[in-house]
Amino acid sequence: PNFHEAHYWLGLSYVAKRLYKEAIEQFQIAVNLSEGSPGDLAALGYAYGAAVRTDEAEDMLRQLEALSKQRYISPVDMAMLHIGLNNKKLAIDWLEKAFEERAERMAYLKVNPVFDPLRTDPRFQALLRRMNFPE
């Protein structure tokens, strides 16, 4: 119960099932346990966006932007939050940056359901090809 990543993954499962209230609760626990991990903040923002709680999602975005002045924030996290806000263009822009940085979580790009809303976008498909993922 005190392992923030368990709450993170449970939250992602709830978002996939469109159980947004439960997802938000799990991400809030993860944020508290991790003492504000950028990945957990991004996931919380993603869930807020998916639940069409735009003000809260944008607040998470502002928090991450402010935090980025003090420490590294993964572009994958920023992409995730923008997917929640339904801003596909910015999400792919951040994934392009993550590709350039060789961000480790890009390895899951083809299978992580968070990125499902981007799959039909030609830029996303081109990114997968550049990463040499099989068709």
Side-chain angles (χ1 to χ4, degrees):
N2 294 322
F3 184 50
H4 78 98
E5 285 192 36
H7 295 281
Y8 173 92
W9 289 105
L10 186 55
L12 286 181
S13 298
Y14 281 138
V15 171
K17 294 181 79 168
R18 295 187 168 92
L19 298 171
Y20 302 121
K21 178 181 177 270
E22 293 84 351
I24 289 166
E25 288 171 359
Q26 291 303 311
F27 290 133
Q28 286 172 331
I29 292 168
V31 166
N32 290 336
L33 289 173
S34 69
E35 298 178 356
S37 155
D40 293 334
L41 289 170
L44 179 57
Y46 164 70
Y48 279 138
V52 196
R53 291 175 58 178
T54 308
D55 290 342
E56 291 102 324
E58 288 175 351
D59 183 53
M60 293 294 104
L61 181 58
R62 283 189 294 276
Q63 285 185 45
L64 284 177
E65 288 170 345
L67 196 56
S68 73
K69 293 173 177 37
Q70 301 164 8
R71 63 185 287 194
Y72 175 79
I73 305 296
S74 172
V76 177
D77 291 334
M78 297 301 287
M80 178 185 206
L81 208 158
H82 282 289
I83 289 168
L85 285 165
N86 199 31
N87 192 337
K88 295 176 185 178
K89 181 191 177 314
L90 277 176
I92 294 174
D93 289 347
W94 279 106
L95 290 175
E96 291 283 353
K97 182 175 170 75
F99 175 77
E100 290 168 15
E101 290 184 6
R102 299 180 181 263
E104 76 174 276
R105 285 185 294 150
M106 291 293 283
Y108 304 103
L109 199 59
K110 187 157 181 167
V111 296
N112 188 335
V114 167
F115 302 107
D116 286 353
L118 305 179
R119 299 208 187 278
T120 59
D121 190 292
R123 287 178 61 206
F124 186 82
Q125 290 300 315
L127 181 59
L128 291 177
R129 282 191 296 280
R130 283 200 322 268
M131 293 179 68
N132 294 317
F133 280 123
E135 298 276 333

